[in-house]
Amino acid sequence: MTLALAAGKVARVASRLRGGGSALPGLVTERVDPAVLRHTLAGLPRGIVVVSGTNGKTTTTKMLVAVLRGHGVRVFTNPTGSNFTRGVISAMLGEVTLRGRLDADCAVLELDEAHALKFAAEVAPTHALLLNVARDQLDRFAEIDHTARLLTTLAEQTTDGVVLNADDSFISRIVDHVGDGVAVHWFGVDPEIADRLPELQEADVRFAEDEVAPHIRDGDPVGLLHPDDERAFSVLLGGQTVGPVTLKQRGLAAMINATAATTTARALLGGDFDAASAVRALQAVTPPFGRGEVIDVDGHPLELVLVKNPAGFTVALGTYGSEPVATMIAINDDYADGRDVSWLYDVSFESLRETGVAMTSGLRGWDMALRLRYDGVETGRVETDLDGALDSFLAEHRGGPTRIFCTYTAMMHLRRRLAARFGLARFGEDTPG
């Protein structure tokens, strides 16, 4: 293992000097010692938590880590959205000694739905937080049932506890596959806002007639999101209330992610969980890069919003779409985005009709403009070159708020350019949630 970690650390230094991404050092380490994850993580005293699902992994992981650290727990995580196993290893290389010692009480890891199983084959998670299932990158994940099966298998391999989304039927049915002795916790929304769920998640119409959801048994612990207004909310945990909380990130989806993180923290900490500490931690969490991140462009906000599937784009438009802000949409179809962009036709862009879209860009910039045309949304200009589009968009709308909706590789490209231009932090380069 020492040789593998040494090779990885050398690759990490070389990669940083070249300005490269985060995956290569992990890949080098994994090639030398395929069992490096088991050797380094299996002995952590508070266990290993895997966060997976189609949407919200990066945000929820960041929130959960913040809440646990707010309670004094030492947490190892993969903070850059590097959610393949090699991304986890790359993140670990900066904190592990050559002898494999990791100075942490537990690991909280965001993992891609498919790579979570590869991870679990090496080291079984003690806990799993399963968020949702949506159509996403069909060329990688195939149909939605396949993604649900991946997460079901992950739950089957979890040893101590699972936290399930009571409002997502693909996730709630997983309870029937949890092993004996594994604790089940639930998170969801208060019934008074249940009518807003269709704007956030996929419907499984096949089970609409006989579905008895959620599959919560008497006595199962439940964390419920109770909104106070459009920005503030509380999480109801049995007889305990966590809140009011006002997040830096906007929208109902972010509130649900916070509810999931809070419920999981309560499950992990038990009697040591403190509501006031959780509130302070959640309110201090900044949006992860590209997910509603606000960048200061010469004194004016630029919001960078990742969109990668119909559910995610619909949620983003519901949160931001009706505001009169200069808007650009950048769509790529590289492997990490999913090569099939027909999902754009499953999104309604009517909320952009009044203000229009100033520019479309990316490899599929013309496809995006055509899609907008079908919804009666005027497009000012199409510029497929991302650098040229960004320069023109910022120049033409200097002095006012701006927003860019973008797929993953487009976001990564634009974020790098913005980082160089405005002194932003570095980040990783694996597929995000």
Side-chain angles (χ1 to χ4, degrees), residues 62 69 120 187 249-250 270 358 373:
K62 189 173 184 180
R69 287 177 174 165
F187 71 93
Q249 192 170 2
R250 292 192 287 162
R373 183 71 176 270

Side-chain angles (χ1 to χ4, degrees), residues 350-411:
E350 291 182 0
S351 61
L352 299 173
R353 189 176 293 165
E354 184 172 344
T355 58
V357 170
M359 185 174 293
T360 61
S361 182
L363 298 170
R364 304 302 286 267
W366 284 106
D367 297 78
M368 187 67 240
L370 176 62
R371 175 66 191 93
L372 292 172
R373 183 71 176 270
Y374 279 115
D375 271 359
V377 180
E378 291 295 326
T379 300
R381 191 146 62 93
V382 178
E383 170 56 77
T384 56
D385 178 73
L386 286 170
D387 290 336
L390 179 63
D391 289 343
S392 297
F393 180 65
L394 294 182
E396 292 168 7
H397 301 281
R398 191 187 308 278
T402 50
R403 180 176 302 123
I404 303 177
F405 296 104
C406 40
T407 55
Y408 178 61
T409 64
M411 184 273 285

Side-chain angles (χ1 to χ4, degrees), residues 20-192:
S22 63
L24 179 62
L27 181 62
V28 170
T29 308
E30 193 173 38
R31 290 282 173 85
V32 178
D33 181 3
V36 66
L37 286 171
R38 181 169 67 249
H39 293 153
T40 52
L41 297 180
L44 294 179
R46 283 183 176 263
I48 302 166
V49 185
V50 169
V51 180
S52 195
T54 305
N55 292 316
K57 293 187 291 293
T58 302
T59 299
T60 307
T61 299
K62 189 173 184 180
M63 291 175 171
L64 176 56
V65 169
V67 173
L68 292 175
R69 287 177 174 165
H71 285 77
V73 178
R74 298 174 303 160
V75 182
F76 163 69
T77 188
N78 49 338
T80 61
S82 302
N83 57 23
F84 293 177
T85 53
R86 58 180 180 265
V88 175
I89 298 170
S90 290
M92 186 174 67
L93 287 169
E95 302 184 35
V96 70
T97 68
L98 287 176
R99 292 183 178 276
R101 177 177 171 74
L102 198 59
D103 188 24
D105 299 313
C106 70
V108 177
L109 304 172
E110 169 196 349
L111 285 169
D112 170 282
E113 299 90 299
H115 281 74
L117 296 187
K118 183 179 179 183
F119 175 89
E122 286 300 322
V123 52
T126 58
H127 297 80
L129 167 55
L130 305 181
L131 296 169
N132 46 57
V133 176
R135 283 181 297 139
D136 185 30
Q137 304 179 64
L138 294 179
D139 49 325
R140 286 188 61 220
F141 291 111
E143 254 306 340
I144 194 168
D145 287 331
H146 177 64
T147 304
R149 283 195 293 274
L150 292 174
L151 296 179
T152 299
T153 304
L154 176 63
E156 291 171 340
Q157 295 173 325
T158 302
T159 61
D160 291 10
V162 295
V163 182
L164 303 175
N165 185 345
D167 299 317
D168 186 311
S169 60
F170 292 97
I171 295 294
S172 65
R173 287 196 290 271
I174 290 176
V175 71
D176 297 329
H177 300 269
V178 174
D180 293 338
V182 176
V184 178
H185 299 252
W186 298 90
F187 71 93
V189 303
D190 191 280
E192 70 181 60

